[in-house]
Amino acid sequence: MKKGFLTGEMLDWLYKNYSTMTNESIALELSEMIKKDNEKEIPRLNTLLDSVTMPSIRRSIDNEIKRRQKFRRISIATVKRAASDIHCPRKSFTHVSEVNRKKARKTNIKRWQDKAQVVENVAQWLRSFRIREIRVCHINSDKELKSIRNAMLYFNQSASESFGYHLSSEYFKEAHLLRIVANPNTTNL
């Protein structure tokens, strides 16, 4: 591990935050901390270099300056290794659960984009659902989203009893997808 880059203060910060942050975000934060530290240390080492006359000490200070100037970022592997070395607590259950939910959502959105339909006749499409069926459609504009949701509201108010299901939806803005579920009416169970 690059102990020279991680100061005691940075290791304390890592210990406090390891269980609640992703390794990627920790690596970014630590990289920024190290860059700020290097901005202070490089000028200090340069002034120190001017006052040192022994060749071996000058060489080691010069090597330290070059090493600090080369620094770009901390890797995730370095974060894991540092956390292991200082015996950080494990990732919290809520953090792991949140990360897994985000991963599952991304995976589902990718899968739904392949299956998404383009809806021409909304009323007919909503009446063609089967109970517990899930469908996904592409949304091209806010106006189209509003018209589909209005049609769903009208369907739920007027026709849901005769069809045996009511519709609910979830909009994924980042992918422009609307996921619609045909939930069974509880009175029919």
Side-chain angles (χ1 to χ4, degrees):
M1 183 176 82
K2 297 171 182 161
K3 285 278 189 188
F5 287 132
L6 295 176
T7 63
E9 187 179 303
M10 291 176 198
L11 291 173
D12 288 343
W13 181 88
L14 174 64
Y15 187 85
K16 289 176 188 171
N17 294 295
Y18 183 74
S19 64
T20 58
M21 292 175 70
T22 64
N23 292 339
E24 295 85 8
S25 59
I26 290 173
L28 289 173
E29 283 287 325
L30 283 175
S31 295
E32 288 303 313
M33 287 180 190
I34 292 169
K35 285 177 184 175
K36 286 179 184 174
D37 188 48
N38 285 346
E39 287 173 5
K40 294 175 191 171
E41 279 299 307
I42 291 172
R44 187 185 73 78
L45 289 170
N46 279 328
T47 58
L48 187 63
L49 188 63
D50 294 338
S51 63
V52 173
T53 57
M54 289 183 68
S56 61
I57 296 175
R58 283 183 68 81
R59 221 177 4 260
S60 66
I61 293 173
D62 194 39
N63 288 340
E64 180 66 17
I65 291 171
K66 287 177 186 174
R67 188 174 75 95
R68 286 181 179 271
Q69 287 172 337
K70 281 184 187 177
F71 177 79
R72 295 292 169 251
R73 64 180 178 84
I74 288 270
S75 69
I76 294 172
T78 305
V79 169
K80 289 179 181 178
R81 209 170 24 245
S84 173
D85 288 350
I86 62 173
H87 306 292
C88 288
R90 298 180 122 195
K91 297 284 186 186
S92 69
F93 177 75
T94 53
H95 171 71
V96 171
S97 175
E98 180 183 335
V99 168
N100 288 340
R101 263 186 268 123
K102 286 179 182 176
K103 258 193 233 178
R105 181 181 170 106
K106 284 181 184 177
T107 303
N108 285 336
I109 287 174
K110 285 179 187 174
R111 192 177 48 189
W112 293 334
Q113 282 177 331
D114 296 337
K115 294 181 180 181
Q117 303 171 348
V118 176
V119 180
E120 298 294 326
N121 186 344
V122 177
Q124 184 180 359
W125 186 68
L126 294 176
R127 285 172 163 52
S128 66
F129 274 77
R130 285 177 274 131
I131 295 176
R132 291 188 177 88
E133 185 179 8
I134 300 169
R135 293 186 191 169
V136 181
C137 65
H138 284 288
I139 301 296
N140 297 321
S141 65
D142 289 339
K143 185 178 177 183
E144 184 179 6
L145 175 65
K146 189 174 181 179
S147 81
I148 291 174
R149 286 212 162 142
N150 284 339
M152 286 174 53
L153 180 66
Y154 180 75
F155 175 87
N156 286 340
Q157 289 174 347
S158 62
S160 71
E161 270 188 48
S162 60
F163 282 90
Y165 61 87
H166 64 278
L167 301 170
S168 62
S169 67
E170 183 178 6
Y171 181 57
F172 300 96
K173 189 172 188 169
E174 65 272 15
H176 304 290
L177 297 175
L178 183 67
R179 181 175 179 259
I180 301 173
V181 181
N183 301 302
N185 289 336
T186 53
T187 55
N188 294 343
L189 296 177

